Amino acid sequence: TLEGTDVRLLGVDAPFGEDCFAGQAARRLERLAGDEVLVEQGDDPAGAVVWVRDGDGVRTLLNRQVIAAGSAAVTADVAGPY
């Protein structure tokens, strides 16, 4: 379990700390993530692929949702299967 552990989303450049809109981005991420996420920590130290599961068991890529919601941008160095 990674409960209480910070996880960087692979391929996601979001504001944090004292950056403008960091608080809004964090709150949106919390809403999108819900209570439980599935984390795929690969070999890339830049971050992890994170999934959320809906009530029907369907997985959605949280990394993509955060970008699509306008809370973050795609990093320039993104690579991987998703």
Side-chain angles (χ1 to χ4, degrees), residues 13 15 19 22 30 37 49 51 54-56 62 70 79:
D13 182 16
D19 292 345
E30 288 174 2
V37 296
V49 174
W51 301 88
D54 69 13
D56 294 329
L62 181 61

Side-chain angles (χ1 to χ4, degrees), residues 6-10 12 16 41 45-50 63:
D6 290 336
V7 175
R8 180 176 294 254
L9 300 177
L10 182 64
V12 176
F16 65 97
Q41 186 69 53
V49 174
V50 181
N63 304 51

Side-chain angles (χ1 to χ4, degrees), residues 18-59:
E18 297 298 318
D19 292 345
C20 290
F21 305 110
Q24 290 173 327
R27 287 188 297 277
R28 179 165 291 167
L29 176 61
E30 288 174 2
R31 281 195 309 274
L32 290 171
D35 295 328
E36 182 180 355
V37 296
L38 305 166
V39 179
E40 285 184 40
Q41 186 69 53
D43 295 333
D44 193 334
V49 174
V50 181
W51 301 88
V52 293
R53 191 177 335 192
D54 69 13
D56 294 329
V58 176
R59 292 183 183 183

